[in-house]
Amino acid sequence: MQSVKKAASIALSVVMWIIILVAALYAFTTLATREDGSVSDIAGFTPLAVQSDSMAPTFNKGDLIFIKKCDTSKLEVGDIVTFHTIIDNEYALNTHRIAAIDEVDGMRSFTTKGDNNDVADTHIISDGDIVGKYLFALPQMGKVMDFLSSSMGFLIVIVLPMLLFFIYQVYHLIVVGMNLKRAMAEEDRLAAAAAIVDAEDKGAAATVTADNAAEQLAQAEAKLEEARRLKAEAEAAMNATKQEGTDGE
């Protein structure tokens, strides 16, 4: 039974760690793009959900890609980069391959193109537009992040499991407290029983001592009585001897 409980506890811990990791990943993908145009990252790494097939088959819509901050001066043609751009008159992040690099008066500009697109992107980007360099992709994980971005997905996958885990921890804490209280009561009961046994042992020892003292007193009285008897016999013998001596005169 204990092994089953231990296995269940380990399984629950693993599930909760997975949920926590997914929640952390969700937080960074959802909050990756801030209102000021900056991008969140962990040690320079940023996960992003792919929203189109413009880079297929390198990565596809629904994949989760990871990018890393980079030194733009070292970028070359063929590198895949994520950059700030405008799509359908709205600010967006896009991830395409560098098709050409131009330099004018020491200032570099980049022409990008999606692997699955027939033409290059219309917006020419500069060093300041580049967020990071593409590293790798996790197939279909972007769909998970998109689902988590919805209210229902966040509630089902993150909030409810965490709530259940919290309830379980509270229940576990209550059970542990009850067991501890029961153990302390049992300890007090055993201590009281030990005190009673100790008192009984001392009483028995005192009784034995009193019995020994009474026996020794009785023996002493018997010896004293014997001594008195011998003294009386000796005195009687002496008186008899004196009386005989007087009669002879």
Side-chain angles (χ1 to χ4, degrees):
M1 187 65 180
Q2 291 295 331
S3 60
V4 174
K5 289 183 178 180
K6 186 176 181 180
S9 178
I10 293 175
L12 181 61
S13 297
V14 170
V15 171
M16 286 310 305
W17 272 111
I18 292 175
I19 292 174
I20 291 172
L21 290 176
V22 170
L25 192 59
Y26 155 77
F28 275 94
T29 53
T30 302
L31 303 177
T33 305
R34 302 172 183 169
E35 293 181 357
D36 60 0
S38 60
V39 177
S40 302
D41 66 86
I42 305 176
F45 295 88
T46 300
L48 296 170
V50 180
Q51 302 298 323
S52 74
D53 286 323
S54 63
M55 281 297 293
T58 305
F59 49 80
N60 303 288
K61 180 180 180 179
D63 291 350
L64 186 70
I65 63 171
F66 285 82
I67 63 172
K68 188 178 188 302
K69 287 183 177 180
C70 63
D71 183 355
T72 57
S73 65
K74 296 181 179 179
L75 290 174
E76 301 176 351
V77 173
D79 290 337
I80 300 174
V81 293
T82 297
F83 51 90
H84 298 287
T85 188
I86 301 296
I87 299 178
D88 296 332
N89 296 320
E90 292 184 0
Y91 164 81
L93 289 175
N94 202 3
T95 304
H96 280 173
R97 193 182 301 274
I98 297 176
I101 300 177
D102 298 312
E103 185 171 348
V104 177
D105 296 332
M107 300 295 293
R108 301 211 307 170
S109 61
F110 303 85
T111 300
T112 56
K113 176 181 177 297
D115 291 353
N116 197 34
N117 292 345
D118 295 329
V119 296
D121 300 329
T122 57
H123 294 279
I124 305 301
I125 62 174
S126 62
D127 290 329
D129 297 319
I130 295 176
V131 175
K133 185 177 179 180
Y134 165 80
L135 296 176
F136 63 91
L138 296 178
Q140 302 305 305
M141 281 300 296
K143 291 182 179 179
V144 176
M145 296 302 108
D146 288 339
F147 175 70
L148 291 178
S149 299
S150 66
S151 300
M152 182 62 67
F154 186 78
L155 177 66
I156 294 175
V157 180
I158 296 178
V159 175
L160 285 181
M162 286 189 171
L163 179 61
L164 292 175
F165 180 73
F166 174 75
I167 293 174
Y168 169 77
Q169 290 298 327
V170 172
Y171 167 76
H172 181 69
L173 183 62
I174 293 174
V175 171
V176 170
M178 292 176 62
N179 290 338
L180 179 61
K181 185 176 181 180
R182 189 179 298 112
M184 292 177 63
E186 183 67 16
E187 184 178 352
D188 292 341
R189 189 184 68 82
L190 291 176
I196 293 173
V197 171
D198 185 58
E200 290 179 349
D201 290 341
K202 289 181 179 180
T207 302
V208 170
T209 302
D211 292 343
N212 290 339
E215 183 178 354
Q216 291 176 3
L217 180 60
Q219 292 177 358
E221 290 178 347
K223 290 180 180 180
L224 180 60
E225 187 65 27
E226 180 66 16
R228 289 174 178 172
R229 184 182 66 77
L230 292 174
K231 180 181 178 182
E233 291 180 353
E235 290 177 347
M238 290 177 63
N239 290 333
T241 301
K242 290 180 179 180
Q243 185 65 36
E244 290 179 355
T246 302
D247 292 344
E249 293 177 355

mmCIF file of all heavy atoms in Angstrom, residues 152-179:
data_model
loop_
_atom_site.group_PDB
_atom_site.id
_atom_site.type_symbol
_atom_site.label_atom_id
_atom_site.label_comp_id
_atom_site.label_asym_id
_atom_site.label_seq_id
_atom_site.Cartn_x
_atom_site.Cartn_y
_atom_site.Cartn_z
ATOM 1 N N MET A 152 -10.414 29.392 -22.287
ATOM 2 C CA MET A 152 -10.793 28.016 -21.970
ATOM 3 C C MET A 152 -9.570 27.125 -21.807
ATOM 4 O O MET A 152 -9.488 26.320 -20.881
ATOM 5 C CB MET A 152 -11.706 27.461 -23.066
ATOM 6 C CG MET A 152 -12.211 26.042 -22.801
ATOM 7 S SD MET A 152 -13.222 25.940 -21.295
ATOM 8 C CE MET A 152 -14.646 26.915 -21.815
ATOM 9 N N GLY A 153 -8.602 27.255 -22.703
ATOM 10 C CA GLY A 153 -7.394 26.436 -22.622
ATOM 11 C C GLY A 153 -6.611 26.708 -21.358
ATOM 12 O O GLY A 153 -6.134 25.789 -20.684
ATOM 13 N N PHE A 154 -6.454 27.982 -21.020
ATOM 14 C CA PHE A 154 -5.724 28.345 -19.808
ATOM 15 C C PHE A 154 -6.423 27.795 -18.570
ATOM 16 O O PHE A 154 -5.778 27.304 -17.644
ATOM 17 C CB PHE A 154 -5.608 29.868 -19.725
ATOM 18 C CG PHE A 154 -4.755 30.343 -18.586
ATOM 19 C CD1 PHE A 154 -3.379 30.298 -18.670
ATOM 20 C CD2 PHE A 154 -5.334 30.836 -17.426
ATOM 21 C CE1 PHE A 154 -2.591 30.732 -17.614
ATOM 22 C CE2 PHE A 154 -4.563 31.272 -16.368
ATOM 23 C CZ PHE A 154 -3.179 31.225 -16.466
ATOM 24 N N LEU A 155 -7.762 27.842 -18.578
ATOM 25 C CA LEU A 155 -8.536 27.348 -17.440
ATOM 26 C C LEU A 155 -8.394 25.837 -17.293
ATOM 27 O O LEU A 155 -8.155 25.331 -16.188
ATOM 28 C CB LEU A 155 -10.010 27.726 -17.609
ATOM 29 C CG LEU A 155 -10.971 27.217 -16.533
ATOM 30 C CD1 LEU A 155 -10.652 27.868 -15.191
ATOM 31 C CD2 LEU A 155 -12.416 27.508 -16.927
ATOM 32 N N ILE A 156 -8.514 25.109 -18.416
ATOM 33 C CA ILE A 156 -8.512 23.646 -18.367
ATOM 34 C C ILE A 156 -7.122 23.083 -18.084
ATOM 35 O O ILE A 156 -6.958 22.174 -17.263
ATOM 36 C CB ILE A 156 -9.049 23.063 -19.695
ATOM 37 C CG1 ILE A 156 -10.530 23.418 -19.857
ATOM 38 C CG2 ILE A 156 -8.860 21.551 -19.751
ATOM 39 C CD1 ILE A 156 -11.111 22.992 -21.185
ATOM 40 N N VAL A 157 -6.110 23.619 -18.760
ATOM 41 C CA VAL A 157 -4.780 23.023 -18.700
ATOM 42 C C VAL A 157 -3.958 23.516 -17.514
ATOM 43 O O VAL A 157 -3.142 22.766 -16.965
ATOM 44 C CB VAL A 157 -4.022 23.288 -20.021
ATOM 45 C CG1 VAL A 157 -2.626 22.679 -19.980
ATOM 46 C CG2 VAL A 157 -4.800 22.697 -21.188
ATOM 47 N N ILE A 158 -4.192 24.748 -17.086
ATOM 48 C CA ILE A 158 -3.326 25.315 -16.047
ATOM 49 C C ILE A 158 -4.075 25.598 -14.747
ATOM 50 O O ILE A 158 -3.694 25.118 -13.677
ATOM 51 C CB ILE A 158 -2.649 26.598 -16.566
ATOM 52 C CG1 ILE A 158 -1.726 26.252 -17.735
ATOM 53 C CG2 ILE A 158 -1.859 27.280 -15.451
ATOM 54 C CD1 ILE A 158 -1.039 27.439 -18.348
ATOM 55 N N VAL A 159 -5.150 26.360 -14.819
ATOM 56 C CA VAL A 159 -5.827 26.794 -13.596
ATOM 57 C C VAL A 159 -6.420 25.620 -12.829
ATOM 58 O O VAL A 159 -6.178 25.467 -11.618
ATOM 59 C CB VAL A 159 -6.921 27.830 -13.923
ATOM 60 C CG1 VAL A 159 -7.696 28.192 -12.659
ATOM 61 C CG2 VAL A 159 -6.304 29.078 -14.535
ATOM 62 N N LEU A 160 -7.213 24.769 -13.509
ATOM 63 C CA LEU A 160 -7.868 23.653 -12.819
ATOM 64 C C LEU A 160 -6.868 22.669 -12.209
ATOM 65 O O LEU A 160 -7.012 22.288 -11.034
ATOM 66 C CB LEU A 160 -8.826 22.937 -13.774
ATOM 67 C CG LEU A 160 -10.141 23.674 -14.076
ATOM 68 C CD1 LEU A 160 -11.013 22.841 -15.007
ATOM 69 C CD2 LEU A 160 -10.897 23.979 -12.787
ATOM 70 N N PRO A 161 -5.843 22.211 -12.966
ATOM 71 C CA PRO A 161 -4.870 21.300 -12.340
ATOM 72 C C PRO A 161 -4.172 21.920 -11.136
ATOM 73 O O PRO A 161 -3.957 21.247 -10.128
ATOM 74 C CB PRO A 161 -3.880 21.007 -13.475
ATOM 75 C CG PRO A 161 -4.678 21.195 -14.715
ATOM 76 C CD PRO A 161 -5.596 22.336 -14.410
ATOM 77 N N MET A 162 -3.825 23.191 -11.234
ATOM 78 C CA MET A 162 -3.165 23.841 -10.101
ATOM 79 C C MET A 162 -4.116 23.970 -8.913
ATOM 80 O O MET A 162 -3.701 23.824 -7.752
ATOM 81 C CB MET A 162 -2.631 25.207 -10.518
ATOM 82 C CG MET A 162 -1.392 25.145 -11.390
ATOM 83 S SD MET A 162 -0.634 26.747 -11.644
ATOM 84 C CE MET A 162 0.903 26.270 -12.448
ATOM 85 N N LEU A 163 -5.392 24.236 -9.205
ATOM 86 C CA LEU A 163 -6.381 24.327 -8.135
ATOM 87 C C LEU A 163 -6.545 22.976 -7.458
ATOM 88 O O LEU A 163 -6.586 22.890 -6.214
ATOM 89 C CB LEU A 163 -7.718 24.811 -8.701
ATOM 90 C CG LEU A 163 -8.873 24.932 -7.688
ATOM 91 C CD1 LEU A 163 -8.516 25.942 -6.601
ATOM 92 C CD2 LEU A 163 -10.152 25.340 -8.391
ATOM 93 N N LEU A 164 -6.618 21.912 -8.256
ATOM 94 C CA LEU A 164 -6.740 20.561 -7.697
ATOM 95 C C LEU A 164 -5.501 20.208 -6.890
ATOM 96 O O LEU A 164 -5.600 19.592 -5.821
ATOM 97 C CB LEU A 164 -6.952 19.541 -8.818
ATOM 98 C CG LEU A 164 -8.297 19.633 -9.558
ATOM 99 C CD1 LEU A 164 -8.329 18.646 -10.714
ATOM 100 C CD2 LEU A 164 -9.453 19.365 -8.598
ATOM 101 N N PHE A 165 -4.339 20.584 -7.395
ATOM 102 C CA PHE A 165 -3.104 20.314 -6.668
ATOM 103 C C PHE A 165 -3.081 21.073 -5.346
ATOM 104 O O PHE A 165 -2.662 20.534 -4.308
ATOM 105 C CB PHE A 165 -1.904 20.720 -7.525
ATOM 106 C CG PHE A 165 -0.579 20.467 -6.859
ATOM 107 C CD1 PHE A 165 -0.094 19.178 -6.712
ATOM 108 C CD2 PHE A 165 0.178 21.525 -6.376
ATOM 109 C CE1 PHE A 165 1.115 18.950 -6.089
ATOM 110 C CE2 PHE A 165 1.390 21.303 -5.758
ATOM 111 C CZ PHE A 165 1.868 20.001 -5.619
ATOM 112 N N PHE A 166 -3.570 22.309 -5.346
ATOM 113 C CA PHE A 166 -3.636 23.100 -4.119
ATOM 114 C C PHE A 166 -4.583 22.446 -3.110
ATOM 115 O O PHE A 166 -4.255 22.336 -1.916
ATOM 116 C CB PHE A 166 -4.098 24.518 -4.441
ATOM 117 C CG PHE A 166 -4.330 25.381 -3.230
ATOM 118 C CD1 PHE A 166 -3.274 25.903 -2.521
ATOM 119 C CD2 PHE A 166 -5.624 25.642 -2.785
ATOM 120 C CE1 PHE A 166 -3.490 26.688 -1.391
ATOM 121 C CE2 PHE A 166 -5.846 26.419 -1.670
ATOM 122 C CZ PHE A 166 -4.764 26.946 -0.970
ATOM 123 N N ILE A 167 -5.745 21.987 -3.594
ATOM 124 C CA ILE A 167 -6.699 21.313 -2.707
ATOM 125 C C ILE A 167 -6.086 20.048 -2.133
ATOM 126 O O ILE A 167 -6.239 19.752 -0.933
ATOM 127 C CB ILE A 167 -8.000 20.994 -3.475
ATOM 128 C CG1 ILE A 167 -8.725 22.290 -3.854
ATOM 129 C CG2 ILE A 167 -8.920 20.110 -2.633
ATOM 130 C CD1 ILE A 167 -9.934 22.080 -4.739
ATOM 131 N N TYR A 168 -5.372 19.307 -2.979
ATOM 132 C CA TYR A 168 -4.717 18.076 -2.508
ATOM 133 C C TYR A 168 -3.679 18.391 -1.436
ATOM 134 O O TYR A 168 -3.576 17.679 -0.428
ATOM 135 C CB TYR A 168 -4.055 17.368 -3.683
ATOM 136 C CG TYR A 168 -3.131 16.237 -3.256
ATOM 137 C CD1 TYR A 168 -3.653 15.007 -2.858
ATOM 138 C CD2 TYR A 168 -1.751 16.419 -3.235
ATOM 139 C CE1 TYR A 168 -2.814 13.992 -2.451
ATOM 140 C CE2 TYR A 168 -0.903 15.408 -2.832
ATOM 141 C CZ TYR A 168 -1.443 14.187 -2.440
ATOM 142 O OH TYR A 168 -0.599 13.183 -2.027
ATOM 143 N N GLN A 169 -2.901 19.452 -1.641
ATOM 144 C CA GLN A 169 -1.880 19.815 -0.660
ATOM 145 C C GLN A 169 -2.521 20.228 0.662
ATOM 146 O O GLN A 169 -2.011 19.888 1.743
ATOM 147 C CB GLN A 169 -1.012 20.953 -1.211
ATOM 148 C CG GLN A 169 -0.099 20.544 -2.354
ATOM 149 C CD GLN A 169 0.907 19.499 -1.953
ATOM 150 O OE1 GLN A 169 1.367 19.473 -0.813
ATOM 151 N NE2 GLN A 169 1.249 18.624 -2.876
ATOM 152 N N VAL A 170 -3.637 20.961 0.598
ATOM 153 C CA VAL A 170 -4.343 21.343 1.827
ATOM 154 C C VAL A 170 -4.865 20.098 2.543
ATOM 155 O O VAL A 170 -4.721 19.958 3.772
ATOM 156 C CB VAL A 170 -5.514 22.304 1.507
ATOM 157 C CG1 VAL A 170 -6.372 22.544 2.747
ATOM 158 C CG2 VAL A 170 -4.970 23.629 0.980
ATOM 159 N N TYR A 171 -5.450 19.172 1.777
ATOM 160 C CA TYR A 171 -5.941 17.919 2.353
ATOM 161 C C TYR A 171 -4.788 17.135 2.978
ATOM 162 O O TYR A 171 -4.914 16.612 4.098
ATOM 163 C CB TYR A 171 -6.615 17.083 1.262
ATOM 164 C CG TYR A 171 -6.875 15.651 1.658
ATOM 165 C CD1 TYR A 171 -7.925 15.316 2.510
ATOM 166 C CD2 TYR A 171 -6.052 14.631 1.185
ATOM 167 C CE1 TYR A 171 -8.148 14.003 2.888
ATOM 168 C CE2 TYR A 171 -6.272 13.322 1.548
ATOM 169 C CZ TYR A 171 -7.313 13.000 2.395
ATOM 170 O OH TYR A 171 -7.521 11.703 2.760
ATOM 171 N N HIS A 172 -3.674 17.063 2.264
ATOM 172 C CA HIS A 172 -2.504 16.348 2.781
ATOM 173 C C HIS A 172 -2.009 16.994 4.071
ATOM 174 O O HIS A 172 -1.636 16.299 5.026
ATOM 175 C CB HIS A 172 -1.402 16.356 1.723
ATOM 176 C CG HIS A 172 -0.158 15.631 2.137
ATOM 177 N ND1 HIS A 172 -0.113 14.262 2.297
ATOM 178 C CD2 HIS A 172 1.084 16.084 2.442
ATOM 179 C CE1 HIS A 172 1.100 13.911 2.665
ATOM 180 N NE2 HIS A 172 1.844 14.999 2.767
ATOM 181 N N LEU A 173 -2.022 18.329 4.107
ATOM 182 C CA LEU A 173 -1.580 19.040 5.308
ATOM 183 C C LEU A 173 -2.504 18.745 6.481
ATOM 184 O O LEU A 173 -2.043 18.545 7.617
ATOM 185 C CB LEU A 173 -1.543 20.545 5.023
ATOM 186 C CG LEU A 173 -1.022 21.439 6.152
ATOM 187 C CD1 LEU A 173 0.418 21.099 6.462
ATOM 188 C CD2 LEU A 173 -1.143 22.908 5.759
ATOM 189 N N ILE A 174 -3.817 18.706 6.219
ATOM 190 C CA ILE A 174 -4.776 18.391 7.282
ATOM 191 C C ILE A 174 -4.561 16.978 7.807
ATOM 192 O O ILE A 174 -4.556 16.732 9.022
ATOM 193 C CB ILE A 174 -6.215 18.567 6.765
ATOM 194 C CG1 ILE A 174 -6.495 20.045 6.471
ATOM 195 C CG2 ILE A 174 -7.223 18.034 7.786
ATOM 196 C CD1 ILE A 174 -7.844 20.289 5.828
ATOM 197 N N VAL A 175 -4.365 16.025 6.890
ATOM 198 C CA VAL A 175 -4.140 14.628 7.299
ATOM 199 C C VAL A 175 -2.864 14.505 8.117
ATOM 200 O O VAL A 175 -2.837 13.824 9.154
ATOM 201 C CB VAL A 175 -4.074 13.721 6.049
ATOM 202 C CG1 VAL A 175 -3.618 12.321 6.436
ATOM 203 C CG2 VAL A 175 -5.431 13.648 5.373
ATOM 204 N N VAL A 176 -1.810 15.178 7.670
ATOM 205 C CA VAL A 176 -0.549 15.139 8.414
ATOM 206 C C VAL A 176 -0.731 15.736 9.805
ATOM 207 O O VAL A 176 -0.224 15.199 10.806
ATOM 208 C CB VAL A 176 0.554 15.903 7.644
ATOM 209 C CG1 VAL A 176 1.790 16.086 8.518
ATOM 210 C CG2 VAL A 176 0.921 15.141 6.378
ATOM 211 N N GLY A 177 -1.484 16.855 9.894
ATOM 212 C CA GLY A 177 -1.738 17.474 11.189
ATOM 213 C C GLY A 177 -2.523 16.555 12.122
ATOM 214 O O GLY A 177 -2.212 16.459 13.319
ATOM 215 N N MET A 178 -3.545 15.873 11.579
ATOM 216 C CA MET A 178 -4.337 14.946 12.384
ATOM 217 C C MET A 178 -3.486 13.772 12.862
ATOM 218 O O MET A 178 -3.571 13.357 14.027
ATOM 219 C CB MET A 178 -5.532 14.442 11.572
ATOM 220 C CG MET A 178 -6.569 15.515 11.267
ATOM 221 S SD MET A 178 -7.910 14.920 10.215
ATOM 222 C CE MET A 178 -8.624 13.642 11.264
ATOM 223 N N ASN A 179 -2.648 13.237 11.965
ATOM 224 C CA ASN A 179 -1.771 12.124 12.347
ATOM 225 C C ASN A 179 -0.772 12.563 13.406
ATOM 226 O O ASN A 179 -0.474 11.810 14.342
ATOM 227 C CB ASN A 179 -1.038 11.595 11.121
ATOM 228 C CG ASN A 179 -1.967 10.868 10.164
ATOM 229 O OD1 ASN A 179 -3.037 10.397 10.560
ATOM 230 N ND2 ASN A 179 -1.573 10.768 8.904
#
